């Protein structure tokens, strides 16, 4: 008797993708910032970060999760912000983000399905195609939005990371417990 063909594999739902996430990997320009780069007289780069992304990442770490940065540019302020928020690894000057991403997977002993990556532009595309939860910011380029499993309501630099942290932790049932702890003890 002929064996019935197995049913076609259905892609994971957004809920299932979120449930598996332990590591957040973030692009910087256009994600943690709105994309603007200000040059000081001495040539130093200045960037504007959103304070709610900072508190979102503190909640993320309180929930026992990790977050890393990967950026094609190199700027001391990125190192300062990463240290402030306890983000690591931080890869700056990444000519090829997929290679940098694979290094991060090795360093953190993570599997792709455990990783959410947030990007906004074409250099992010290869990584978005190799992670468990691909996230595009609201004002990402069309190709990045098309490749994403989730497009944020917020634009780059406007609390994107806070939105993604809440989305994932709510799916994992971990958002409310952290909020309750904060209500009692402060962050
Ligand atoms: Mg970018």
């Amino acid at each position: 008797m002929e064996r019935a063909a197995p049913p076609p594999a259905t892609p994971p739902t957004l809920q299932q993708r979120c449930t598996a996430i332990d590591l957040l990997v973030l692009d910087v320009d256009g994600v943690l910032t709105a994309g603007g780069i200000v040059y000081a007289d001495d040539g130093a780069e200045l960037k504007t970060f959103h304070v709610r992304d900072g508190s979102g990442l503190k909640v993320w770490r309180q929930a026992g999760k990790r977050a890393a940065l990967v950026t094609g540019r190199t700027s001391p302020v990125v190192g300062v912000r990463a240290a402030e928020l306890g983000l690591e690894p931080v890869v700056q000057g990444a000519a090829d983000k997929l290679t940098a991403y694979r290094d991060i997977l090795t360093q953190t002993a993570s599997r792709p399905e455990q990783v959410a990556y947030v990007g906004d532009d074409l250099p992010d595309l290869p990584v978005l195609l190799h992670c468990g939860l691909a996230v595009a910011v609201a004002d990402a380029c069309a190709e990045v939005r098309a490749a994403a499993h989730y497009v944020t309501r917020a634009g780059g630099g406007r609390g994107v990371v806070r939105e993604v942290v809440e989305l994932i932790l709510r799916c994992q049932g971990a958002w409310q417990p952290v909020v309750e702890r904060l209500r009692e003890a402060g962050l």
Side-chain angles (χ1 to χ4, degrees):
M1 200 168 97
E2 237 176 78
R3 214 177 267 174
T10 49
T13 62
L14 181 62
Q15 166 82 38
Q16 286 167 333
R17 288 182 182 281
C18 287
T19 302
I21 302 302
D22 272 327
L23 174 67
L24 201 50
V25 181
L26 306 167
D27 172 34
V28 177
D29 295 291
V31 171
L32 282 176
T33 77
I37 299 166
V38 182
Y39 289 96
D41 286 341
D42 62 1
E45 280 189 18
L46 306 176
K47 298 181 193 293
T48 301
F49 298 101
H50 199 294
V51 72
R52 268 204 303 279
D53 282 340
S55 65
L57 285 165
K58 281 181 187 166
V59 169
W60 183 248
R61 292 183 66 228
Q62 286 261 319
K65 308 287 188 178
R66 293 173 299 179
L69 298 184
V70 56
T71 169
R73 301 182 63 86
T74 301
S75 168
V77 292
V78 171
V80 171
R81 185 64 168 156
E84 191 175 44
L85 298 174
L87 310 180
E88 61 169 353
V90 176
V91 182
Q92 297 205 59
D96 164 9
K97 288 191 175 178
L98 187 56
T99 301
Y101 167 69
R102 288 188 167 138
D103 287 345
I104 290 171
L105 290 185
T106 303
Q107 284 182 54
T108 59
S110 301
R111 286 176 283 110
E113 57 269 31
Q114 296 175 294
V115 182
Y117 182 85
V118 189
D120 72 307
D121 204 0
L122 295 176
D124 301 309
L125 263 182
V127 185
L128 290 166
L129 298 173
H130 289 87
C131 65
L133 177 65
V135 180
V137 300
D139 53 349
C141 71
E143 292 83 353
V144 165
R145 279 185 282 123
H149 303 120
Y150 179 78
V151 179
T152 60
R153 284 187 292 273
R158 302 297 305 164
V160 165
V161 180
R162 169 68 167 68
E163 182 181 333
V164 175
V165 164
E166 183 170 346
L167 170 78
I168 295 171
L169 292 184
R170 278 193 189 280
C171 283
Q172 298 182 351
W175 177 257
Q176 206 54 38
V178 174
V179 171
E180 293 304 327
R181 274 212 302 281
L182 293 178
R183 200 171 275 157
E184 286 162 21
L187 193 59

